[in-house]
Amino acid sequence: MLWRSVVGKLWFTILLLVSVVLSILMVLLLQSFERFHVNEAESQLVNHANMIASIYEGYEVESDALYTIAQYGSAFEMHVIFLVEGEKVWSTDEEESHQVALDTFFTDETLSQVFSGEQVVMTEGDFPFVGNGDEFHSEIMIVGVPLQPDELNDSAVFLYQSLSAIEDASNETKQIIYFSAGIAIVLTTIFAFFLSTRITAPLRKMRQVALEVAEGKFKSKVPILTHDEIGQLAIAFNRMGRELNNNIHALNQEKEQLSRILVSMADGVITLNKKGRVVLTNPPAERFIQSWYYEQGMNQDIKGNLPAAMQTLFEKVVLLEKEQMTEVEMQGRSWMILMTPLYDRHEIRGAVAVFRDMTEERRHDKLRKDFIANVSHELRTPISMLQGYSEAIIDDIAGSDEDKKEIAKIIYDESLRMGRLVNELLDLARMEAGHVELNVEELEVQPFSERIVRKFQGLAREQAIQLSLDIEHSDVIECDPDRIEQVLTNLLHNAIRHTKEHGKVILAVRQYDEGYRFDVIDTGSGIPEGDLPYVFERFYKADKARTRGRGGTGLGLAIAKNIVDSHGGHISVHSKMNEGTTFSFFIPCIFNN
């Protein structure tokens, strides 16, 4: 709207200012011209009165004097009254129907002073007129001049004139002033619009450029048309745009650099606001949150909340305004959390938490302690049996050939067991050294998965376990079929072995743009949370009370992990005690050695 724009405000201000000035000038001019007309009329009447008095006094014959005065009065259209010795001698009102009442000249305080013969009197007012038996009032100006004050008493000549003539002159003057004021207002309006548009045109251009800058168009420039304050403002605006562009470019670079640093960090980073809500995360921190989310049973209500340990740590950081540290266990992984407050000048606006995955350090510490014990445990039993049965043969404890053959078979089986252990160790060592040989070929996923499931149907039926395949539309992948079958065989065998009767084992296969994901899901006994980080290590067994019948060498999952890694994939595990376990591994569609 016009009144909200600079043009309207500037125009209204100039117009109001000019109007106020013109109003004051009009009032002063009208009063001045009114006084001028009144004074001029009084001055003329006084001159005419003196002239008539001189004529009357200069003639010796009164009739001649009155004749001359009559001619004089008619020439100037004046009303004249002669009073001699208190009586009316002659007047120009003889021919008029209404005349000024004679008592007026004697009763009026001002007019009566003329009879003293000392001064000329002047007055204005509403005086009565009489004639034809009625009376009315009219605004007139009366001037009185004494006649021969030394010789005559109560003698004077009075001239009066209607104020309507003065009012006509004043009205004409007012019309001229009003017309001039109107022209001045029109010219002022035109000038104000011209001036305001000249001033606001560059401002509107600046507004347009400012909106473009707000949209990110920092190359927009304000044209510099003048060298006054508006031109200097345009120069400053253009300089501000350049500085803003440079600053935003620097901020974007810094933001990109910080984003790259966060993404490439091995440690997790979470930024929290002052309410404890997550604002920013990086991939390692996302993995921590997903692990906690899985541990809470995929509950939708916990989204946006923090784990209890982190919430407690955050409250300590806000309360003490110092960095705090703690360590939490989540899905078998050990996380060291260091949280530091963030300040907005002097007030805390949130906190930043750094997550360091200490699982590898803890795992290495544990492996250093358990490796020798595990190797000794795996080798001690077959070696002891070989020694014991060898001594039985040497000491001729076995009397019959059947006993000797049975002892020899046990020695043979234990030697085969030690051979398998050694071969698996050698295979695992070669895989970890990167010397694994893969026979890569295209593999149709669905027939391959169906064959693997059929292979374990017999074992599953013996244990009264329901084994099923969950697969959608699939294509082909490039891999070593024998190695992938070795991985699935190990995972399915473990799942069936650790699932109770009437349980379920599912092989789920899903295709993605990048590759295939295989999930082996069971409803078995589960793996303790503290054992999850170590299930893919050599000689590690979650079943501490394992028997020789159920337990293997403890190398199957380690070999499976190396096979998946050699295909460029990754393997993981999620488990809950007495609810089940899910082993998942991902294989890319195209093999990249």
Side-chain angles (χ1 to χ4, degrees):
M1 296 180 64
L2 180 64
W3 303 113
R4 296 182 180 179
S5 64
V6 177
V7 175
K9 293 178 179 178
L10 187 59
W11 171 80
F12 182 75
T13 302
I14 295 176
L15 191 61
L16 181 62
L17 180 62
V18 172
S19 300
V20 171
V21 173
L22 286 178
S23 299
I24 296 174
L25 288 177
M26 286 173 57
V27 171
L28 295 177
L29 285 175
L30 290 175
Q31 291 179 354
S32 176
F33 276 107
E34 186 174 0
R35 287 195 301 270
F36 171 77
H37 287 301
V38 171
N39 294 334
E40 185 68 19
E42 290 179 349
S43 177
Q44 289 180 0
L45 284 180
V46 169
N47 292 332
H48 290 313
N50 290 326
M51 179 61 70
I52 291 173
S54 299
I55 293 173
Y56 183 81
E57 294 174 353
Y59 280 85
E60 295 180 357
V61 179
E62 182 179 0
S63 59
D64 295 336
L66 293 177
Y67 176 79
T68 304
I69 291 171
Q71 297 296 323
Y72 186 85
S74 61
F76 290 98
E77 297 181 354
M78 294 178 299
H79 299 275
V80 183
I81 297 177
F82 275 91
L83 296 179
V84 177
E85 298 293 338
E87 297 293 335
K88 176 180 176 183
V89 177
W90 179 87
S91 72
T92 57
D93 297 335
E94 298 293 344
E95 300 176 356
E96 297 180 2
S97 59
H98 291 83
Q99 302 176 4
V100 177
L102 294 180
D103 295 339
T104 303
F105 302 109
F106 296 98
T107 58
D108 186 83
E109 181 179 356
T110 302
L111 294 177
S112 61
Q113 294 177 2
V114 73
F115 297 112
S116 62
E118 297 179 358
Q119 59 181 357
V120 178
V121 296
M122 294 174 292
T123 185
E124 300 172 14
D126 186 7
F127 293 96
F129 281 74
V130 294
N132 298 328
D134 57 359
E135 179 180 344
F136 72 95
H137 291 260
S138 177
E139 294 284 341
I140 61 174
M141 176 187 294
I142 301 177
V143 174
V145 176
L147 291 176
Q148 300 177 359
D150 297 333
E151 299 178 2
L152 300 176
N153 294 324
D154 297 332
S155 300
V157 58
F158 291 95
L159 275 72
Y160 65 92
Q161 184 179 4
S162 176
L163 293 178
S164 59
I166 300 175
E167 290 179 358
D168 293 340
S170 300
N171 291 333
E172 185 178 355
T173 304
K174 289 180 181 178
Q175 291 179 359
I176 295 174
I177 293 175
Y178 291 154
F179 181 73
S180 301
I183 294 176
I185 292 295
V186 173
L187 294 178
T188 301
T189 301
I190 298 174
F191 171 76
F193 269 110
F194 174 76
L195 178 63
S196 59
T197 51
R198 286 293 301 271
I199 293 175
T200 57
L203 296 180
R204 288 196 297 267
K205 183 62 178 177
M206 289 182 191
R207 176 182 176 273
Q208 179 182 355
V209 175
L211 293 176
E212 294 177 357
V213 171
E215 295 175 356
K217 301 176 183 178
F218 297 105
K219 293 185 179 180
S220 301
K221 301 291 183 182
V222 178
I224 302 173
L225 304 177
T226 59
H227 297 284
D228 53 6
E229 289 81 357
I230 296 179
Q232 294 176 1
L233 178 61
I235 295 174
F237 187 89
N238 292 335
R239 184 181 303 170
M240 181 193 69
R242 290 194 300 270
E243 294 295 331
L244 186 61
N245 186 22
N246 295 334
N247 292 335
I248 291 181
H249 182 67
L251 288 175
N252 288 334
Q253 286 185 336
E254 185 176 353
K255 181 180 178 180
E256 179 67 18
Q257 181 180 359
L258 179 59
S259 176
R260 295 298 179 184
I261 291 174
L262 288 176
V263 171
S264 61
M265 284 179 63
D267 296 336
V269 177
I270 293 180
T271 303
L272 306 173
N273 60 15
K274 61 182 180 181
K275 295 183 179 179
R277 298 292 182 178
V278 177
V279 178
L280 177 66
T281 61
N282 67 340
E286 286 287 345
R287 288 196 292 270
F288 170 82
I289 294 176
Q290 290 299 324
S291 298
W292 179 70
Y293 183 51
Y294 177 85
E295 190 176 71
Q296 301 300 316
M298 311 299 286
N299 186 4
Q300 297 290 336
D301 296 334
I302 66 162
K303 281 190 174 181
N305 297 327
L306 294 176
M310 279 193 63
Q311 185 65 36
T312 303
L313 194 65
F314 176 75
E315 292 173 358
K316 288 183 179 179
V317 168
V318 174
L319 180 62
L320 302 177
E321 297 187 6
K322 294 181 180 179
E323 66 178 16
Q324 302 292 325
M325 183 183 298
T326 188
E327 187 169 351
V328 297
E329 297 288 335
M330 193 75 67
Q331 281 292 295
R333 304 196 71 82
S334 180
W335 297 87
M336 180 69 72
I337 305 177
L338 177 64
M339 189 176 293
T340 305
L342 294 176
Y343 290 93
D344 184 6
R345 293 186 178 177
H346 302 293
E347 296 182 358
I348 292 181
R349 63 178 179 86
V352 58
V354 179
F355 295 78
R356 175 162 296 177
D357 191 351
M358 303 296 292
T359 307
E360 292 298 323
E361 286 79 357
R362 302 293 182 264
R363 182 175 59 84
H364 290 157
D365 293 340
K366 184 174 179 61
L367 288 178
R368 281 195 297 268
K369 298 176 182 178
D370 295 345
F371 181 74
I372 296 177
N374 289 332
V375 173
S376 301
H377 176 81
E378 294 297 332
L379 295 178
R380 181 174 55 195
T381 300
I383 291 174
S384 297
M385 295 183 69
L386 289 174
Q387 289 177 348
Y389 284 105
S390 299
E391 290 176 357
I393 294 175
I394 293 173
D395 296 339
D396 291 331
I397 295 176
S400 63
D401 293 335
E402 293 180 359
D403 293 338
K404 291 179 180 180
K405 185 180 290 187
E406 183 179 355
I407 292 174
K409 187 176 184 306
I410 293 174
I411 293 174
Y412 178 71
D413 290 339
E414 293 298 325
S415 65
L416 290 178
R417 175 179 171 79
M418 291 183 63
R420 287 195 304 270
L421 177 62
V422 172
N423 289 332
E424 288 180 352
L425 280 172
L426 291 175
D427 288 343
L428 185 59
R430 284 196 299 269
M431 289 179 182
E432 291 180 347
H435 298 150
V436 63
E437 295 181 1
L438 299 177
N439 297 319
V440 180
E441 60 183 62
E442 289 189 351
L443 174 66
E444 294 185 3
V445 176
Q446 185 165 351
F448 171 76
S449 302
E450 293 173 351
R451 180 173 60 83
I452 296 297
V453 172
R454 283 197 302 270
K455 185 173 71 171
F456 283 93
Q457 284 292 355
L459 179 60
R461 282 193 295 268
E462 291 177 2
Q463 310 237 354
I465 295 174
Q466 180 183 349
L467 176 62
S468 61
L469 173 65
D470 179 12
I471 185 171
E472 298 177 353
H473 173 72
S474 61
D475 205 342
V476 298
I477 59 174
E478 295 180 359
C479 65
D480 186 339
D482 293 335
R483 292 292 189 179
I484 300 300
E485 182 175 354
Q486 182 181 355
V487 174
L488 287 174
T489 298
N490 183 282
L491 296 179
L492 287 171
H493 187 268
N494 287 343
I496 294 173
R497 189 175 61 185
H498 292 89
T499 302
K500 297 179 181 179
E501 292 183 357
H502 309 296
K504 293 182 181 180
V505 175
I506 302 173
L507 173 60
V509 183
R510 294 290 181 268
Q511 181 181 5
Y512 298 94
D513 293 337
E514 297 83 6
Y516 284 85
R517 175 176 172 174
F518 296 83
D519 294 325
V520 178
I521 307 168
D522 65 64
T523 59
S525 58
I527 302 173
E529 184 177 342
D531 295 329
L532 286 176
Y534 311 105
V535 295
F536 296 107
E537 300 300 331
R538 291 175 291 182
F539 302 112
Y540 194 83
K541 297 179 182 179
D543 186 7
K544 302 297 187 298
R546 61 188 179 274
T547 62
R548 192 60 57 185
R550 290 188 64 190
T553 61
L555 298 174
L557 290 178
I559 294 174
K561 182 178 185 303
N562 279 276
I563 292 174
V564 172
D565 291 342
S566 64
H567 281 80
H570 54 82
I571 188 170
S572 61
V573 59
H574 293 285
S575 181
K576 282 188 178 182
M577 288 299 296
N578 301 321
E579 294 186 13
T581 304
T582 299
F583 279 91
S584 304
F585 67 92
F586 180 84
I587 301 297
C589 289
I590 300 176
F591 178 78
N592 185 12
N593 189 3

